[in-house]
Amino acid sequence: KALDINVDDFHAWFNKGVAYLKHENYYDAKKCFLKFLNLNEDIPTLFKDNISNYFYDLGWSLYENEKYQDSIHCYDISIGFNPEVPNYLNCKAISLENLKMFDEALDFYSKALEIEPNDDVIQDNKKNCYHNKILDLGKNEDFAGAIECCNNALNEFPNEPHFYNFYAISLAYLGRFDEALDYYSKALEIDPHDDVLKDNKLNCYCDKIADLGKNEDFAGAIECCNNA
């Protein structure tokens, strides 16, 4: 009723948000708290910090209970009140990733790293997100998409051998064995003692030899055996 009288009553928006919160309606609560924020330019810093921390804690609790979308609504409120806290952005990215919204998650990891570029935890989270996106693309046999994702990952993390490994696996699935072998070699230059990479490269040689034999290119098969 207060908002029927004055739609810009920021106190009423805040109270309405609290009411939605009591009913665990996080989506509408988010709209109300962000409306309150937009209408009130003189919110004390301490109040902003308290609100953002409260919703961060609530978001994390919801995340731990696998309520990822609800946790995102809470993180959005925290980010609205304190947009320069990298961990709010990082945690929203984690929830997005659990919903397989990988591109959105990568975007929020990037925003967090713009604020705190040397944060090892956020960097590792972003690497894992690339990893999970590549696996998901491979599972859906989108090997061209996986290759594109590997390229993006390597542009940011050029010393990660597993991205070269995923690149090679995707190339091999597309029958591009020579390119795949080249990427396995690049991975092994970084980590020459990785037995998984060695086995994958050996399997790639075997697949190439079998493909050459299937096409009756026995001279090519012999050359490949020599290289292997």
Side-chain angles (χ1 to χ4, degrees):
K1 290 183 178 180
L3 290 172
D4 290 338
I5 298 169
N6 180 8
V7 73
D8 292 331
D9 184 339
F10 58 84
H11 292 296
W13 281 109
F14 186 89
N15 291 333
K16 188 175 183 181
V18 171
Y20 278 127
L21 199 60
K22 289 179 179 178
H23 290 88
E24 299 184 356
N25 183 342
Y26 301 103
Y27 173 73
D28 286 319
K30 175 180 73 172
K31 291 196 294 184
C32 292
F33 283 112
L34 294 181
K35 183 70 173 178
F36 161 80
L37 179 64
N38 290 334
L39 289 172
N40 190 357
E41 298 178 356
D42 300 318
I43 302 174
T45 300
L46 180 60
F47 183 79
K48 282 186 177 182
D49 290 343
N50 288 338
I51 288 288
S52 57
N53 285 331
Y54 171 80
F55 280 102
Y56 166 74
D57 290 339
L58 179 57
W60 187 254
S61 176
L62 290 164
Y63 166 80
E64 289 184 322
N65 286 287
E66 300 183 359
K67 296 180 179 180
Y68 303 123
Q69 189 61 65
D70 286 337
S71 74
I72 289 169
H73 295 320
C74 291
Y75 293 137
D76 281 337
I77 298 171
S78 294
I79 293 165
F81 278 84
N82 261 325
E84 299 301 315
V85 179
N87 201 37
Y88 297 164
L89 301 164
N90 175 59
C91 287
K92 179 175 178 178
I94 293 170
S95 289
L96 287 164
E97 189 177 343
N98 275 276
L99 293 173
K100 293 191 175 184
M101 299 171 68
F102 298 111
D103 291 333
E104 294 88 341
L106 289 166
D107 184 51
F108 274 92
Y109 285 130
S110 296
K111 290 177 180 178
L113 288 167
E114 286 174 10
I115 300 168
E116 194 62 65
N118 298 317
D119 190 307
D120 291 337
V121 172
I122 299 174
Q123 287 186 6
D124 286 344
N125 285 348
K126 190 172 188 184
K127 290 176 192 176
N128 288 333
C129 188
Y130 273 123
H131 174 106
N132 291 330
K133 180 182 177 183
I134 293 164
L135 288 179
D136 191 66
L137 289 165
K139 182 179 178 181
N140 290 290
E141 298 186 0
D142 183 0
F143 301 115
I147 288 170
E148 181 182 1
C149 190
C150 288
N151 264 326
N152 293 335
L154 287 168
N155 284 335
E156 292 188 58
F157 306 106
N159 296 317
E160 286 296 318
H162 297 298
F163 291 138
Y164 289 102
N165 179 51
F166 288 135
Y167 205 134
I169 291 170
S170 299
L171 288 166
Y173 269 110
L174 294 174
R176 295 160 62 179
F177 298 111
D178 289 333
E179 294 171 82
L181 289 166
D182 183 50
Y183 274 90
Y184 282 128
S185 296
K186 291 178 179 178
L188 286 165
E189 285 175 11
I190 299 169
D191 191 353
H193 304 296
D194 189 312
D195 290 334
V196 172
L197 291 173
K198 290 178 184 178
D199 288 344
N200 286 351
K201 188 174 184 181
L202 178 61
N203 289 332
C204 188
Y205 272 121
C206 292
D207 290 341
K208 181 183 178 183
I209 293 164
D211 188 67
L212 290 165
K214 182 180 178 181
N215 290 287
E216 299 185 359
D217 182 359
F218 303 114
I222 290 169
E223 180 183 2
C224 189
C225 288
N226 276 326
N227 292 335

